[in-house]
């Protein structure tokens, strides 16, 4: 904990340590404030008998940490979410990846998630006018059916019309049948 290091090693008060925490993270991140605090931190360390080289190394590590630090609550909640997602991916891979695809992926392109599904041994079926829904669906433990969502310009209204027509007239048997 950076606050503890600043207090115990450099002798900063908890108030000063909190100012350092604010200067190194979040919306209030400030390189200028960090530069101002560096002198107080180093002189505090030296005043407590910490060798200059060690004090500078500790400061260097604090500064490098500031680029990616998170508060404990954020870190803990992110860790729990990561664990839950990993568990779902291992024990329910089709449902997990189908949900990711329906959520429009996230960081990676759609195709990356489809490739991941195949790497996990899942079958990924192409859209089927007679079976697909708007969203992607899980047909069984190991199969994902791509939905109409994969078609960029197909609106939800058009999908609803396709489903309604499919329900009224039975399955489509040809492209001409679909066109009618």
């Amino acid at each position: 904990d950076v606050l503890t290091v600043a207090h115990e090693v450099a002798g900063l008060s908890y108030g000063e340590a909190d100012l350092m925490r604010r200067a190194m993270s979040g919306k209030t991140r400030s390189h200028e404030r960090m530069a101002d605090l560096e002198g107080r931190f180093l002189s505090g360390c030296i005043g407590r008998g910490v060798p200059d080289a060690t004090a500078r190394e500790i400061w260097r590590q604090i500064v490098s940490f500031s680029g990616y630090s998170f508060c404990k609550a954020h870190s803990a909640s992110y860790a729990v979410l990561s664990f839950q997602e990993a568990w779902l991916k291992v024990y329910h891979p089709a449902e997990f990846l189908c949900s990711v695809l329906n959520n429009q992926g996230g960081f990676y392109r759609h195709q990356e998630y489809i490739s991941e599904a195949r790497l996990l041994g899942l079958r990924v079926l192409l859209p089927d006018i007679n079976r697909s829904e708007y969203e992607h669906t899980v047909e069984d433990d190991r199969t994902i059916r791509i939905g109409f969502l994969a078609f960029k310009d197909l609106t939800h209204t058009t999908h609803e019309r396709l489903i309604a027509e499919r329900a009224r007239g039975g399955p489509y048997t040809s492209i001409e049948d679909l066109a009618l």
Side-chain angles (χ1 to χ4, degrees), residues 78-91 96 100:
Y78 191 76
V80 168
L81 179 63
S82 297
F83 176 81
Q84 290 170 337
E85 288 182 5
W87 188 90
L88 288 169
K89 186 177 176 184
V90 168
Y91 294 104
F96 174 75
V100 171

Side-chain angles (χ1 to χ4, degrees), residues 130-170:
N130 290 311
R131 292 191 178 126
S132 290
E133 299 296 330
Y134 183 71
E135 291 189 328
H136 312 302
T137 55
V138 175
E139 290 197 358
D140 63 43
D141 260 16
R142 309 293 301 165
T143 306
I144 297 172
R145 166 79 62 190
I146 299 298
F148 296 130
L149 177 65
F151 296 102
K152 183 178 177 183
D153 294 325
L154 185 68
T155 66
H156 198 68
T157 302
T158 303
H159 156 259
E160 288 174 347
R161 285 183 33 219
L162 282 170
I163 298 297
E165 288 297 319
R166 184 169 77 191
R168 267 196 296 277

Side-chain angles (χ1 to χ4, degrees), residues 32-69:
E32 295 81 24
R33 285 176 58 204
M34 284 296 285
D36 291 343
L37 288 166
E38 180 180 10
R40 277 195 265 167
F41 181 87
L42 293 175
S43 64
C45 285
I46 292 167
R48 292 179 148 233
V50 176
D52 184 62
T54 303
R56 289 185 186 283
E57 175 57 19
I58 293 169
W59 180 256
R60 186 198 64 74
Q61 289 181 18
I62 287 172
V63 170
S64 70
F65 174 72
S66 71
Y68 57 90
S69 64

